[in-house]
């Protein structure tokens, strides 16, 4: 398996200033006027929605226009060049290649430039396993995402899009919703999913959300509350996904779809046997707070009359 990282996301947006404010508030660091990055150096860049330098959009309005994946070395990149040469929109830029996947998303691949990140993560105490001694759990005033963990796309042709990522790029299936969706991870050993493909009735291709890894559940909460204080609306969260065990908080994004803070996802290996289940509320959320928590009261956000 060749793909090892998510390197960059490029968005076409209808309002650059709002988009830049959102990324700064979300906890990303500015690199230049329109580029921001996570702690490990994964970058998000913004351009006007009608910028001719952007690839074609797979849905109208603000949305993701190019997703860049990383490989370990030049040998892996050369192997993928040969494998992708007959794909639609294929371009060889030497140190970067790109094509369009069957869903219309422009996929770029380069040798990874991400940096290692070491973070102080406070242990949790559970019954019979007391790892945090004489130390309180942290409270975060905001989140600082470590990296880009996964992307979720609405797809027109689930079978063809899954085949591209599995057979051409070498992704592994983690779990599946029958005739509805598939969770894919880059490597046999890794987090539960780096890509989730979802086919819904009466919904064409598009961006559902992109997700960012943070230290722990406390940083998920701190990040969500910070976005609440900045007047960004919550889509859903905090909550927990049974299918991946991850804690989450989704914030509606002016870049398209939603942005998610998450942590505590399952780590899978070659021994994992993918599950197949029906798509349901119970499999998606064990629990969740709709509309988020109000930063002032620390209680569920009230819907205004």
């Amino acid at each position: 398996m060749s793909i090892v990282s998510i390197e960059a996301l490029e968005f076409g947006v209808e309002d650059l200033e709002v988009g830049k404010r959102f990324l700064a508030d979300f906890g990303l660091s500015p690199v230049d006027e329109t580029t921001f990055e996570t702690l490990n150096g994964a970058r998000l860049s913004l351009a006007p929605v009608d910028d001719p330098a952007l690839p074609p959009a797979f849905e109208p309005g603000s949305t993701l226009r190019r997703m860049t994946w990383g490989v370990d070395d030049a040998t892996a990149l050369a192997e993928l060049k040969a494998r992708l040469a007959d794909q639609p929109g294929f371009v060889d830029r030497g140190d970067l290649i790109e094509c369009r996947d069957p869903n219309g998303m422009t996929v770029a691949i380069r040798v990874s430039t991400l940096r290692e990140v070491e973070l102080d993560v406070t242990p949790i105490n559970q019954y019979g396993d007391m790892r945090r001694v004489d130390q309180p759990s942290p409270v975060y005033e905001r989140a600082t995402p470590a990296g880009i963990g996964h992307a979720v796309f609405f797809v027109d042709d689930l079978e063809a899009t899954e085949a591209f990522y599995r057979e051409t790029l070498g992704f592994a299936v983690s779990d599946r919703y029958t005739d509805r969706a598939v969770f894919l991870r880059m490597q046999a050993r890794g987090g539960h999913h780096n890509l989730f493909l979802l086919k819904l009735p009466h919904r064409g291709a598009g961006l559902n959300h992109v997700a960012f890894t943070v230290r722990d559940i406390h940083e998920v909460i701190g990040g969500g509350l910070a976005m609440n204080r900045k007047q960004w609306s919550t889509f859903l969260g905090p909550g927990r996904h049974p299918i991946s065990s991850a804690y989450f908080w989704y914030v509606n994004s002016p870049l398209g779809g939603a942005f998610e803070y998450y942590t505590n996802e399952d780590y899978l290996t070659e021994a994992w046997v993918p599950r197949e289940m029906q798509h349901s509320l119970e499999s998606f959320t064990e629990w969740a707070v709709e509309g988020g928590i109000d930063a002032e009261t620390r209680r569920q956000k009230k819907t205004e009359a």
Side-chain angles (χ1 to χ4, degrees):
M1 294 187 183
S2 299
I3 304 296
V4 298
S5 60
I6 299 175
E7 300 280 308
L9 303 173
E10 297 170 60
F11 292 84
V13 298
E14 296 175 320
D15 192 323
L16 273 177
E17 294 306 314
V18 170
K20 290 189 290 185
R21 181 164 60 87
F22 176 82
L23 292 181
D25 289 347
F26 194 76
L28 305 180
S29 299
V31 176
D32 57 38
E33 187 176 351
T34 58
T35 304
F36 294 76
E37 69 176 10
T38 62
L39 292 175
N40 72 357
R43 294 190 171 186
L44 288 82
S45 60
L46 309 179
V49 72
D50 57 355
D51 189 331
L54 288 173
F58 65 170
E59 65 178 336
S62 298
T63 194
L64 183 62
R65 302 286 282 271
R66 182 187 284 114
M67 184 170 187
T68 301
W69 301 85
V71 294
D72 268 334
D73 52 37
T75 299
L77 185 63
E79 291 174 354
L80 283 176
K81 281 183 184 182
R83 214 181 301 171
L84 295 171
D86 61 350
Q87 295 294 322
F90 177 79
V91 179
D92 182 354
R93 305 187 191 280
D95 59 354
L96 180 144
I97 56 176
E98 69 176 49
C99 66
R100 286 191 306 277
D101 74 12
N103 200 42
M105 172 54 56
T106 294
V107 175
I109 302 170
R110 72 183 186 206
V111 174
S112 179
T113 61
L114 299 186
R115 51 186 176 258
E116 292 291 328
V117 176
E118 292 187 8
L119 296 174
D120 182 19
V121 181
T122 305
I124 64 170
N125 287 346
Q126 303 179 101
Y127 182 79
D129 186 17
M130 297 296 150
R131 302 189 184 191
R132 193 183 69 255
V133 179
D134 297 330
Q135 180 185 12
S137 288
V139 174
Y140 295 93
E141 287 300 311
R142 61 179 303 183
T144 308
I148 304 170
H150 64 257
V152 176
F153 296 123
F154 296 113
V155 298
D156 281 320
D157 190 331
L158 178 59
E159 184 177 355
T161 308
E162 177 187 339
F164 171 81
Y165 286 97
R166 286 186 67 189
E167 298 170 12
T168 306
L169 296 186
F171 282 48
V173 173
S174 297
D175 287 309
R176 188 186 302 279
Y177 290 135
T178 305
D179 299 325
R180 178 63 64 86
V182 62
F183 294 86
L184 300 165
R185 63 190 188 277
M186 298 178 292
Q187 300 277 311
R189 291 178 175 246
H192 183 269
H193 62 280
N194 306 108
L195 187 65
F196 178 41
L197 305 175
L198 175 62
K199 181 175 177 61
L200 294 180
H202 315 300
R203 178 60 164 95
L207 174 65
N208 179 279
H209 73 270
V210 291
F212 297 80
T213 53
V214 295
R215 290 173 178 83
D216 53 27
I217 180 60
H218 310 298
E219 194 171 11
V220 169
I221 301 296
L225 287 172
M227 294 301 279
N228 179 293
R229 288 192 294 270
K230 295 288 188 178
Q231 305 302 308
W232 299 108
S233 64
T234 293
F235 169 60
L236 188 68
R240 193 184 84 98
H241 294 305
I243 197 164
S244 66
S245 301
Y247 297 109
F248 64 80
W249 191 316
Y250 296 89
V251 181
N252 291 311
S253 165
L255 312 185
F259 273 38
E260 176 192 7
Y261 298 117
Y262 80 104
T263 192
N264 192 50
E265 69 173 329
D266 296 325
Y267 185 87
L268 307 182
T269 73
E270 300 90 340
W272 177 257
V273 178
R275 299 165 294 179
E276 182 154 339
M277 63 193 78
Q278 293 299 313
H279 184 261
S280 67
L281 179 63
E282 291 78 13
S283 63
F284 177 68
T285 50
E286 178 190 41
W287 59 274
V289 177
E290 185 152 10
I293 298 171
D294 179 70
E296 301 302 322
T297 67
R298 297 300 200 269
R299 301 188 180 189
Q300 186 170 6
K301 196 170 180 65
K302 303 292 185 183
T303 301
E304 295 183 9

